Amino acid sequence: MLLVYIFLIIASSFLISISQVWFKTSFKSKISNIKDLIAYAKNRKVVYGFVLYLFSLVIYLFSLKHLPLSIAYPLFASSFIFVSIFSYYKLKEKISFKRILGIVFIFIGIVLISLTL
């Protein structure tokens, strides 16, 4: 049963990663006044991003009820992996060797934490 909550934590980090990319792609120019801020807040991607953030928070809080924080929070670090992957494909950002190495370490840490359950 714990695997279900582990999956939910990872799904939550996946959704947060998508919303981060949506936030990034919705910026077209600097926000220099209140009109720019209001226009940004009305952007479809920003609204969807906030909805995903909220949905992700609900999933995360539900999972916290069933998992120790010392397990749930490190699992949520999978969002760094997802953001790097999404940034590479959607934003055309480069992934350096150091970042790949960091992603591998995060993945190894997630696997090790999962094995301790």
Side-chain angles (χ1 to χ4, degrees), residues 81 97-111:
I81 298 171
F97 177 74
K98 288 180 184 179
R99 185 167 296 164
I100 291 171
L101 193 59
I103 289 169
V104 168
F105 284 136
I106 291 169
F107 183 76
I108 290 170
I110 291 169
V111 169

Side-chain angles (χ1 to χ4, degrees), residues 12 16 51-63:
S12 175
I16 277 226
V51 169
L52 274 182
Y53 238 91
L54 181 62
F55 186 62
S56 175
L57 176 64
V58 170
I59 293 170
Y60 184 71
L61 292 175
F62 174 76
S63 299

Side-chain angles (χ1 to χ4, degrees), residues 59-72:
I59 293 170
Y60 184 71
L61 292 175
F62 174 76
S63 299
L64 278 180
K65 183 178 179 182
H66 302 282
L67 285 175
L69 183 61
S70 62
I71 292 173

Side-chain angles (χ1 to χ4, degrees), residues 5 11 18 28 38-39 45-46 77-79 91 94 99 105:
Y5 302 112
I18 292 172
K28 302 297 180 204
I38 292 170
K45 287 183 180 178
V46 173
S78 61
S79 63
L91 304 174
K94 299 204 185 305
R99 185 167 296 164
F105 284 136

Side-chain angles (χ1 to χ4, degrees), residues 8 15 24 41 46 48 72 75 86 91 107 116:
L8 288 175
L15 294 175
K24 173 74 174 176
V46 173
Y48 290 160
L75 290 174
F86 295 153
L91 304 174
F107 183 76
T116 63

